[in-house]
Amino acid sequence: MPGEEPNLEELAELCETAGYEVVYQLSQQRHPHSQYNIGPSKLKELAEAVKRLGIEKIIFENELKPLQEYNLAKALGVEMIDRTRLILEIFTLHASSLEAKLEIKLAELRYELPRAKEKVRLAKRGEQPGFHGLGAYEADVYYEEISRRIQKIQKKLDEIKRKKVISIRRTRLEGIPTIALAGYTNSGKSTLFRRLTGYPAEVSNKLFTTLSTKKRITRILGKPVYISDTVGFIKNVPAMLVSAFMSTLMEVVESDLVLLLVDGALPMPEVRQRLNVTLSTLRQIGVVNKPIILVFNKADLIMPEKRDKLIEMVNGAFPAVVVSAKTGENIDLLEKTIDSMLSGFVKFTAKIPLEEATPLLLSQLRERGMVESMTYHDGFLEVTATTPAQLAERIKALTWNGGSFQLSET
Ligand SMILES: Nc1nc2c(ncn2[C@@H]2O[C@H](COP(=O)(O)OP(=O)(O)OP(=O)(O)O)[C@@H](O)[C@H]2O)c(=O)[nH]1
Ligand SMILES: [Mg+2]
């Protein structure tokens, strides 16, 4: 499209992640041709390349209308897919959980729905790559079958989501905050997750390695927190793909704090653009009024002057840190920033009657709190600790009969 930045580099990266070898690239500046998307002379150029290089598949950055896809396949004799389809292929390769599999299926069906009618009509005009086997179906039957499957999968996903909501609420009752790692794909979310939790999440230089949320409990400067690793964002993703991943992204929406990762080693304009994409995707999934820390990752690849520029770019609008999830540089600074933004913890000294100091209470104190001192005397357990406000409130309730409870400055 005129005025649009070509995005071929990222497209090539996506192709490689999907297992394709990129042998030829072509771009053009014009409004999409109604019949072929590309113009007649580019079509000729492409046809020659297909012959010369033995190209097996053509991948378009632009969205293809069914008619364009059909005409192109007919003119070039090879299969044609667009960027959305390519991303779906990668998702299919990487999906391991049932939830992710269902989400991808849903996205595929939603992608297919508006094409279904048109495709069947076109298929009847002659068999083409990518349109196999559709001739036997009547357009309406095919269309309805897809709608029916969409509903069925949606129902299954709603059930998974319902269970998730229950588990998120339960976590909330414990009063332990949840921190979600969000950001562009390949920014290093899983690497940071590994560093903060010690859990060996899969890390790779491919795009969309992580497709389902992982959540682990850990401590930040002594305080217990849940950390969740999530699916990455990317630019130019149709809203339908984002909404299909809602069940996975719910963890971000329901979190208490978001660490928004951006690969700081990229050129400045790219960093700025990815920051824009990630912030607007967050808005799109319903993250509003939530504390966010900007984490510029890959510090080991960033020169000192550029680090300053990155922080300046944010203009004080967010707390921002430059870290290396890989080497651990500045992770202590990140932890301090997280700690300063975690609310809901209180420090107190309580005298609890011994009969109330059950093993369950003691284990909750150990698991969810930072205990400074704990002594027994005169039939009381005397504790000074920092815990989630909910737990402190429960402990306070145990002291009504002769004990005492006092909040202190943290
Ligand atoms: N040099 C350097 N590389 C890093 C750093 N953090 C992550 N990487 C590399 O960046 C690539 C992507 O890392 P991941 O942790 O898989 O990124 P992700 O954001 O989880 O990616 P997806 O799950 O695919 O969205 C891997 O090759 C990592 O080794 C860092 O601090 N410095
Ligand atoms: Mg990951």
Side-chain angles (χ1 to χ4, degrees):
M1 292 273 262
E4 235 177 41
E5 283 287 313
N7 195 23
L8 285 182
E9 217 171 289
E10 188 172 80
L11 191 66
E13 232 179 296
L14 284 167
C15 287
E16 269 151 32
T17 296
Y20 296 111
E21 187 195 346
V22 180
V23 292
Y24 187 76
Q25 300 194 2
L26 183 142
S27 69
Q28 77 167 359
Q29 290 271 332
R30 62 160 287 161
H31 287 289
H33 187 279
S34 66
Q35 297 293 306
Y36 293 97
N37 193 286
I38 49 175
S41 63
K42 288 282 173 183
L43 182 63
K44 221 170 126 203
E45 198 181 319
L46 192 54
E48 276 163 20
V50 168
K51 247 197 223 132
R52 184 160 41 89
L53 301 165
I55 289 169
E56 288 164 18
K57 199 163 191 169
I58 299 173
I59 297 169
F60 270 73
E61 168 74 14
N62 300 352
E63 194 188 318
L64 290 178
K65 300 223 162 27
L67 179 68
Q68 294 169 340
E69 196 178 318
Y70 174 83
N71 286 337
L72 281 165
K74 195 168 164 189
L76 299 166
V78 291
E79 198 183 334
M80 215 65 52
I81 62 171
D82 60 18
R83 190 182 142 106
T84 305
R85 192 81 235 163
L86 178 64
I87 292 176
L88 282 170
E89 279 187 12
I90 296 171
F91 282 4
T92 308
L93 283 174
H94 291 178
S96 55
S97 70
L98 173 68
E99 184 188 17
K101 283 184 179 144
L102 288 172
E103 283 174 325
I104 291 155
K105 200 73 223 163
L106 182 64
E108 273 176 357
L109 290 169
R110 284 196 185 148
Y111 175 85
E112 187 62 20
L113 193 64
R115 288 168 171 76
K117 264 186 185 159
E118 183 66 5
K119 260 192 176 174
V120 173
R121 195 179 65 78
L122 293 169
K124 284 179 178 164
R125 291 186 354 199
E127 205 157 304
Q128 287 302 315
F131 295 157
H132 289 302
L134 292 182
Y137 283 91
E138 280 308 315
D140 289 343
V141 176
Y142 182 56
Y143 186 85
E144 267 161 30
E145 167 71 13
I146 292 182
S147 317
R148 204 179 51 76
R149 285 176 66 196
I150 287 179
Q151 277 169 20
K152 219 168 128 185
I153 292 176
Q154 187 70 65
K155 226 170 150 184
K156 281 190 195 160
L157 276 172
D158 286 348
E159 180 58 23
I160 292 179
K161 204 166 156 185
R162 200 180 60 81
K163 287 197 181 129
K164 259 196 166 169
V165 169
I166 294 173
S167 117
I168 287 172
R169 295 226 174 106
R170 199 175 300 137
T171 313
R172 195 160 281 158
L173 280 179
E174 296 173 8
I176 301 175
T178 298
I179 302 172
L181 301 178
Y184 215 82
T185 183
N186 217 36
S187 56
K189 298 178 295 298
S190 300
T191 310
L192 186 60
F193 181 75
R194 281 178 91 130
R195 182 154 294 277
L196 294 175
T197 67
Y199 177 82
E202 190 182 351
V203 164
S204 133
N205 202 16
K206 296 195 164 151
L207 308 183
F208 299 113
T209 305
T210 309
L211 284 187
S212 33
T213 313
K214 282 188 189 55
K215 193 167 171 178
R216 288 289 174 278
I217 193 161
T218 186
R219 287 189 182 244
I220 300 286
L221 300 183
K223 290 177 186 161
V225 294
Y226 283 103
I227 304 217
S228 53
D229 184 16
T230 64
V231 59
F233 305 155
I234 194 164
K235 65 189 156 199
N236 303 338
V237 170
M240 138 228 124
L241 250 184
V242 177
S243 70
F245 271 77
M246 241 359 257
S247 168
T248 299
L249 289 169
M250 200 168 60
E251 210 62 64
V252 183
V253 182
E254 297 288 334
S255 66
D256 300 286
L257 171 68
V258 175
L259 302 191
L260 190 55
L261 267 80
V262 182
D263 180 345
L266 292 164
M268 270 321 252
E270 190 62 31
V271 171
R272 187 179 283 277
Q273 196 200 29
R274 290 192 180 190
L275 185 57
N276 261 326
V277 170
T278 40
L279 284 170
S280 73
T281 311
L282 281 183
R283 267 197 304 278
Q284 209 181 327
I285 63 173
V287 175
V288 277
N289 300 329
K290 204 181 281 301
I292 294 176
I293 300 175
L294 280 190
V295 181
F296 293 110
N297 189 30
K298 313 202 180 178
D300 52 303
L301 305 175
I302 312 173
M303 292 295 182
E305 317 85 71
K306 185 165 168 213
R307 294 183 184 200
D308 295 343
K309 269 199 198 141
L310 288 168
I311 300 290
E312 274 165 32
M313 183 182 80
V314 180
N315 200 19
F318 299 92
V321 282
V322 183
V323 309
S324 171
K326 197 170 182 175
T327 67
E329 190 185 346
N330 271 348
I331 295 295
D332 50 346
L333 181 62
L334 174 62
E335 292 196 322
K336 273 189 205 137
T337 313
I338 294 173
D339 183 55
S340 72
M341 290 179 77
L342 284 181
S343 55
F345 283 92
V346 292
K347 187 174 168 182
F348 60 87
T349 300
K351 254 173 82 179
I352 309 165
L354 268 189
E355 65 271 21
E356 303 284 7
T358 57
L360 177 67
L361 181 75
L362 294 182
S363 78
Q364 287 188 340
L365 262 172
R366 262 194 307 275
E367 277 163 23
R368 302 184 200 163
M370 298 158 71
V371 179
E372 258 169 51
S373 70
M374 197 186 273
T375 53
Y376 291 93
H377 58 87
D378 290 345
F380 286 97
L381 172 71
E382 212 174 299
V383 190
T384 300
T386 303
T387 71
Q390 280 101 323
L391 183 57
E393 212 40 58
R394 288 224 320 276
I395 289 173
K396 187 173 159 193
L398 300 175
T399 61
W400 70 278
N401 196 7
S404 69
F405 183 91
Q406 202 158 21
L407 285 177
S408 44
E409 295 291 311
T410 43

